[in-house]
Amino acid sequence: MEKNGKIFVPPPKDGRDFKELFKQLAAVGAGRPLGRDGFPQGPWTPDLLAEAISQIDSNRLGVDLRTVQLWFQENDKGISPSNIRWLARIFGCDDPEATSEWLMELIAAQSRLISKRRDSKKAVRSTVSIVSEAPPSVTADDETRPAAGIAQDSEVTRKRQRFSLAERSEALFSHGSPLNLPASIFAGASALGFLSYIVGIASITYGRPDGVVKEVGFLWAPNWTLLFMVLLPLFFAVVIELLAFWKQDARLRLVVHANSSESTKAWASNVRAYSYSYWAVFLICILVAGVLQWIGVCLVPLLEGSGDYAISWGTIAIVQPDLISVPLEIVFTALSYLYMSICFYLFFAGLILLHTIVHDLWKIEGDVKAQPDVAHRRERAEIRLRIMRGIFRCTVLGVLVAVSMKIQSAYLSSNGEDVVTWLIHDMSSVLDGHPDGSESLGYRMPTHYSSLLVAISACVVFVYGFLRLPLEKRFRVILWKMAAVVGLLFASYLLIDAFDGFSIFLGVSVLLAVYSLFDPEFGQRRNAELEGNQSVS
């Protein structure tokens, strides 16, 4: 049949699923224009169909060539609701009534495909369960060499059941609801806040021998409130979103000939390759940053009644034993440092996952770089930009974590009454033309070192992505703006308490960094897209 100068095939309504229906329609060239002689021009190809869908006026984004290729292949992939709409326009030959009929037919065919997939998975599971429950059959071969077969099977089983810290850590980010991990971190910080109220150290002041009265309460410490209640949950949320995008979408689009199970196995192999990194980070965070730091900073000073560290909520029992007892202080600080060490292990595990994503993308792109068509290049550029955008957000949040840690450490050795007043006084003293000139006391500040490790680690991941994933010319300005923000924020971190007025530079950098979390491209994305569209046309 002919409709609007194109080949029209009415919906068959014969109960076929999407794959079967699409295969027939592509073969007859349904929706293709008739030739000059009035005869069909031939079947659809992925290139022709992708081009036809992209030329629909109301379809501004077009469709990916790789997505269309998946429709032609024998796999478990169906079609998204948005693409069903455009495919119905093609098969309906731009006729409203025919398009509506084809839309209903394609939706029903997609539903049948999903149902068929679900039934096949259930059948496979039931078969596997039956086989696993059945007793092993003994054959002549088994009787001749039973020991070797049993030993080999048991070895395989042991390998499969072997504990993998890397895979367990990755599962915390990829399995279950994306809200689980951020909510757990927030809940832990909230629980510590309530406990600080119960034990009486939520908001406390003490007078130093030099007459300075300082606020050292738990809830006034940004490295225990702002860090664990805002920054880390946001960091984990971004990592989870980026990991889901890479595993479930981007990786499948780049590796055309691999199905979802093969892609999952390849990704799991990449994660296991970082096992030593996970164990190294785990030991450092739990044993060194957790146990040893708690012993040196809290336990020993509390037991001896003195120390070389500035008095904080963790050691207030030394100077105010009537406020909280030493045993209770030891228990509360132990719980706090245990929570802190676990959180920072997860923080570094998130950075390792970001590095894994960048390295995986870099290896895959080495295999597909030879594909010259514009659609592939644009798709890869979009994927690289989205990944770099997520890594940039994580880097900014990581450096802000380091900033909150160093601010609290510097404040405890300063002459400020509380953190907010200290920063405002530093800012106003320079703006008023009367620099304070006061020097910090010579306390030992291990948090300065640990915060530096956090800041450097966050920046290293961004630099690795910056070098491994070069963007197209129209997106390079965006990448350089991101690098400038990271560099400015890192410089402001290094200069905390280095001179009078450091808070002005820090405030500007933090405001710029917070804005960049919402708009990493700084309004450059739309201009780059327009430039890219003009160059393609």
Side-chain angles (χ1 to χ4, degrees), residues 196-271:
S196 70
Y197 265 112
I198 294 173
V199 300
I201 58 173
S203 178
I204 48 177
T205 58
Y206 94 101
R208 285 193 326 208
D210 57 358
V212 177
V213 177
K214 298 184 70 65
E215 170 64 60
V216 293
F218 180 85
L219 296 183
W220 282 83
N223 62 327
W224 287 94
T225 51
L226 177 66
L227 194 159
F228 293 107
M229 301 184 76
V230 179
L231 298 178
L232 274 190
L234 287 176
F235 174 85
F236 292 133
V238 176
V239 174
I240 290 171
E241 187 273 337
L242 189 62
L243 181 61
F245 165 73
W246 175 246
K247 287 181 60 178
Q248 302 171 12
D249 184 10
R251 200 177 196 282
L252 291 172
R253 281 193 280 158
L254 289 175
V255 186
V256 181
H257 301 292
N259 55 35
S260 58
S261 61
E262 292 176 350
S263 178
T264 302
K265 291 179 181 178
W267 170 253
S269 176
N270 290 332
V271 172

Side-chain angles (χ1 to χ4, degrees), residues 322-345:
D322 56 327
L323 182 65
I324 181 174
S325 65
V326 170
L328 185 58
E329 182 87 290
I330 290 175
V331 172
F332 182 79
T333 54
L335 291 176
S336 300
Y337 272 75
L338 175 63
Y339 167 78
M340 179 267 296
S341 61
I342 294 174
C343 287
F344 272 102
Y345 166 71

Side-chain angles (χ1 to χ4, degrees), residues 175-191:
H175 292 180
S177 169
L179 189 62
N180 287 347
L181 186 56
S184 300
I185 301 301
F186 181 84
S190 301

Side-chain angles (χ1 to χ4, degrees), residues 3 96 100 116 125 150 160 171 237 278 339 387 443 489 516 536:
K3 191 183 291 288
S100 178
K116 184 181 294 186
R125 289 172 186 166
I150 294 173
R160 289 181 178 176
Y278 283 97
Y339 167 78
I387 289 178
Y443 291 116
L489 187 61
S516 67
V536 170

Side-chain angles (χ1 to χ4, degrees), residues 294-331:
W294 171 71
I295 292 174
V297 175
C298 297
L299 182 61
V300 172
L302 286 172
L303 294 177
E304 295 181 351
S306 62
D308 297 331
Y309 305 99
I311 296 296
S312 65
W313 58 266
T315 53
I316 192 64
I318 297 175
V319 294
Q320 295 185 16
D322 56 327
L323 182 65
I324 181 174
S325 65
V326 170
L328 185 58
E329 182 87 290
I330 290 175
V331 172

Side-chain angles (χ1 to χ4, degrees), residues 479-502:
L479 195 59
W480 280 107
K481 286 184 177 181
M482 293 179 182
V485 172
V486 171
L488 186 67
L489 187 61
F490 185 75
S492 67
Y493 157 79
L494 294 176
L495 296 176
I496 290 176
D497 202 27
F499 56 88
D500 291 331
F502 76 91

